[in-house]
Amino acid sequence: MNSKKTTFPKEIFRYLILSIISGGVLFLLLFVGNQALYQQVIQPQMAKKNFADATEEFQTFVTQQEANSLSRFTWQSSDGTVFYLRNDAGNGSAPKFHKEPEGPMEQRRPLGSEKAVDITYSDGKSATTFLIVENRWVMYIGVVASVVLGLIFAIVLFYRQLLNKAKYMHQIEKGTIILEAGDLDYRIAEEGHDELTQIAASINKMSQSLSEKIILEAKATQTSREIISDLSHDIRTPLTILSGYLPVLLETDLTEEQRKYLNLIHKKTKQMNSRVNDLLEYATIFSGQRPLELQLIDSRMLFEQFITELLPIVEVTYTLDIPAQAKIVGDMSLLERLFDNLISNINQHAELAEGVTIHIQTLNEQLHITIKNTVSKNDSSIGKSLGVKISAMIVELHQGTMTSALIGETYQTELVFPIKFEK
């Protein structure tokens, strides 16, 4: 893009000046052409025609008046372009012409040209001189037309420039909509040298930068997924061996202290195996390798099942305000995994003796679930487990949201799912 830039108002002002100059040039060309056409073609033809008609008219006049060559009178043609000036009879007449300026004859002659012709008077023929005045109304019409056309040309030219700017603004707007839709490879044409061009250039640079960042992030994410997957498989191999050998060792003759430590190792091995499985599942879901098997699920039945599975662990106080026709479009296995994680989180971190409160209702074609429980004392790890992150990801895959917050000693989880009402 050109480094020389002007501001948008200055460019509009420049368009205005150029339009005025262009209109002025057109006016001058039309004016000069009009003058040449009038002087070379129109005026001679008009003068010739007017003089021929006028002499016939004058001949009729003197015949009707029975005027002789010595008569004194003033005469002009009916169109006011030819005047009787004098005749060669030597009568010394000095006629006063209609609408003719005062002064000597030499000063009147610039009004037009003199031309002589023989006229038949009552006493015979006599050479008679007439003054032919230019009839300029055609020229004046041409001048006015030149002014109007020049002005119209300037206005149209300026309007077209503004229209081009408006179209360019629309082009920028269209480009931003395309970029917003996700096509970051689209580029807006950079036209002109004003603020609009700078905006287009900035948008192009921003989209290019964003596209490059997305590509880098995608590569980094893919690398992370591969590392997590590989690491999970690498850890699971020794854990599987330990899980196989530890039960065998526990069946051998051991001292109480040995059995105590082996049981502890066995317990921690199971926990590590569970964490590795969570990590592998997180990587699988996060990578999108697991396709969703969507189906219409009875939401009331689904949450009744969730509450039923929770009851053996803790006392549940709940309200279930779900219409029978409310359905969730979801993957049943993932939703079951979600509820398993929620139950596991409650079992590990809640003060089970104080129970759990669950409120489920439909609102604006959405299913709102609120789960509240009191947190166990000295438990600082609640909400930080990988299971919670997996749960949130499962909800997002179903176009919903999940939020968790610790309010005082109460841990509150809110889930929102879109629902469909089956007719």
Side-chain angles (χ1 to χ4, degrees), residues 42-225:
I42 297 177
Q43 196 275 334
Q45 293 295 328
M46 288 180 62
K48 181 178 179 181
K49 179 177 180 298
N50 291 345
F51 182 69
D53 294 340
T55 53
E56 291 181 7
E57 187 180 339
F58 183 75
Q59 180 64 68
T60 302
F61 171 76
V62 297
T63 302
Q64 290 174 350
Q65 297 295 324
E66 297 181 353
N68 58 40
S69 59
L70 299 177
S71 299
R72 296 173 60 85
F73 54 84
T74 298
W75 179 89
Q76 65 174 355
S77 61
S78 57
D79 60 3
T81 60
V82 179
F83 298 88
Y84 166 66
L85 191 58
R86 64 182 179 276
N87 59 60
D88 296 337
N91 57 8
S93 61
K96 203 72 172 172
F97 300 120
H98 181 64
K99 295 183 181 179
E100 186 183 359
E102 300 286 347
M105 184 63 66
E106 289 73 12
Q107 295 181 9
R108 302 179 205 164
R109 288 181 180 175
L111 285 172
S113 59
E114 294 181 6
K115 194 169 184 180
V117 69
D118 289 335
I119 297 296
T120 303
Y121 295 92
S122 59
D123 56 350
K125 283 188 178 184
S126 178
T128 305
T129 302
F130 295 89
L131 178 65
I132 305 173
V133 180
E134 291 185 19
N135 192 347
R136 294 175 176 250
W137 63 270
V138 175
M139 183 187 68
Y140 296 145
I141 291 175
V143 172
V144 172
S146 300
V147 172
V148 171
L149 289 175
L151 183 61
I152 292 174
F153 180 77
I155 293 172
V156 170
L157 186 62
F158 183 61
Y159 172 75
R160 284 185 62 84
Q161 295 291 345
L162 292 180
L163 188 62
N164 289 336
K165 282 298 171 186
K167 288 181 179 179
Y168 188 48
M169 291 175 68
H170 178 69
Q171 186 178 349
I172 293 174
E173 181 185 7
K174 179 182 176 182
T176 57
I177 293 173
I178 294 173
L179 292 171
E180 185 181 3
D183 186 5
L184 296 179
D185 293 328
Y186 181 82
R187 295 293 179 267
I188 302 171
E190 298 175 19
E191 303 173 359
H193 310 291
D194 56 17
E195 278 88 346
L196 293 179
T197 311
Q198 295 178 42
I199 291 172
S202 298
I203 293 173
N204 288 337
K205 288 180 180 178
M206 180 182 66
S207 61
Q208 182 179 357
S209 176
L210 186 59
S211 178
E212 291 173 355
K213 287 181 180 178
I214 289 174
I215 292 172
L216 291 175
E217 288 178 2
K219 289 181 179 178
T221 302
Q222 182 62 30
T223 302
S224 300
R225 293 171 185 167

Side-chain angles (χ1 to χ4, degrees), residues 17 20 57 142 191 282 318 338 341-342 358 361 367 393:
I17 296 300
I20 292 173
E57 187 180 339
E191 303 173 359
Y282 176 82
Y318 67 91
L338 165 66
N341 287 347
L342 292 174
I358 300 176
Q361 66 174 348
L367 192 63
M393 189 180 298

